[in-house]
Amino acid sequence: GGLPERNVTCLAQTPNGYLWCGTSAGLARFDGERFKVFDAVNTPELDEVHIEELSCDAKGRLWIGGSTGELVVYENGQFRRVGEADGLPVHQAGKLGEDPNGDFWVKGRSNDRFYRYRNNQFEEVNPGIPVSRIDRFIANATGLEWAVCGRYRMMIHFTSRGLERQPVTAPDGRSEMTLGSFFHLQSGAV
């Protein structure tokens, strides 16, 4: 078998070497030779077939976010829908990521909140600015970082000491700018 759809929306690799591909028609796992498709037909937990986010945490769990804000976790060979019983409101899973402390983070899709998964439960975290302005976030060796766009024009660095705001200035010094993507250089600089 091949991919369920030719346009891949996201990728993640789990510690066992599988490459996972999210598409608008479901999820596929590649073992180096062939694809195995997981979709609403063979995996009821994946009834949200348009996969937008994939993230593998340090414990080897694969977190799967759908276009309507559903969140599913694949752990120990089993898919499980994540929701209110886990502390995450229904349809709120947006961007996904993990910090170096092993805490898993979910950006609320429409409620201006972040959720941190710790001790098998999500807890709401208020980052001190409207979450709707946060476009991307990444983890680094010192904590979780967020890129903030629009009128805020800053990056927020989350550390054990709290939030540290780092202004980002457009080349002309005045206009608003959007950070489409960012990454760490080998030096550690963003």
Side-chain angles (χ1 to χ4, degrees):
L3 287 169
E5 210 270 333
R6 68 182 186 155
N7 294 317
V8 174
T9 55
C10 48
L11 295 168
Q13 188 170 20
T14 48
N16 56 10
Y18 288 127
L19 180 64
W20 296 81
C21 308
T23 75
S24 60
L27 181 67
R29 181 181 69 197
F30 186 63
D31 65 7
E33 293 182 21
R34 65 188 64 76
F35 286 96
K36 176 169 176 52
V37 174
F38 301 91
D39 58 21
V41 174
N42 64 16
T43 310
E45 296 83 1
L46 291 177
D47 60 348
E48 168 58 59
V49 296
H50 188 128
I51 308 299
E52 288 187 343
E53 292 282 325
L54 290 174
S55 184
C56 182
D57 68 18
K59 293 180 179 169
R61 296 177 291 214
L62 179 68
W63 298 86
I64 306 154
S67 64
T68 62
E70 294 294 326
L71 184 63
V72 173
V73 63
Y74 180 77
E75 181 177 22
N76 299 322
Q78 300 292 315
F79 289 93
R80 181 178 67 84
R81 185 178 301 277
V82 178
E84 290 180 335
D86 303 288
L88 183 69
V90 175
H91 302 293
Q92 283 304 317
K95 299 293 183 192
L96 310 173
E98 183 180 33
D99 69 27
N101 300 319
D103 293 334
F104 193 77
W105 293 79
V106 174
K107 175 189 170 195
R109 194 170 188 85
S110 62
N111 68 357
D112 265 353
R113 297 288 184 267
F114 261 99
Y115 300 91
R116 176 175 43 211
Y117 191 71
R118 181 185 279 176
N119 301 319
N120 297 318
Q121 188 71 25
F122 279 98
E123 61 183 353
E124 186 177 303
V125 176
N126 182 350
I129 62 167
V131 172
S132 60
R133 296 287 185 170
I134 297 173
D135 290 326
R136 301 261 190 264
F137 67 95
I138 59 172
N140 71 12
T142 59
L144 192 65
E145 289 181 313
W146 297 296
V148 181
C149 302
R151 66 185 175 96
Y152 289 99
R153 291 194 312 236
M154 70 178 75
M155 290 177 65
I156 304 293
H157 183 199
F158 185 82
T159 69
S160 60
R161 298 179 305 279
L163 296 175
E164 296 175 2
R165 297 172 187 206
Q166 301 172 354
V168 176
T169 306
D172 66 10
R174 297 185 318 255
S175 67
E176 292 186 6
M177 62 184 275
T178 300
L179 298 174
S181 62
F182 60 114
F183 53 91
H184 285 108
L185 302 174
Q186 282 185 316
S187 68
V190 175

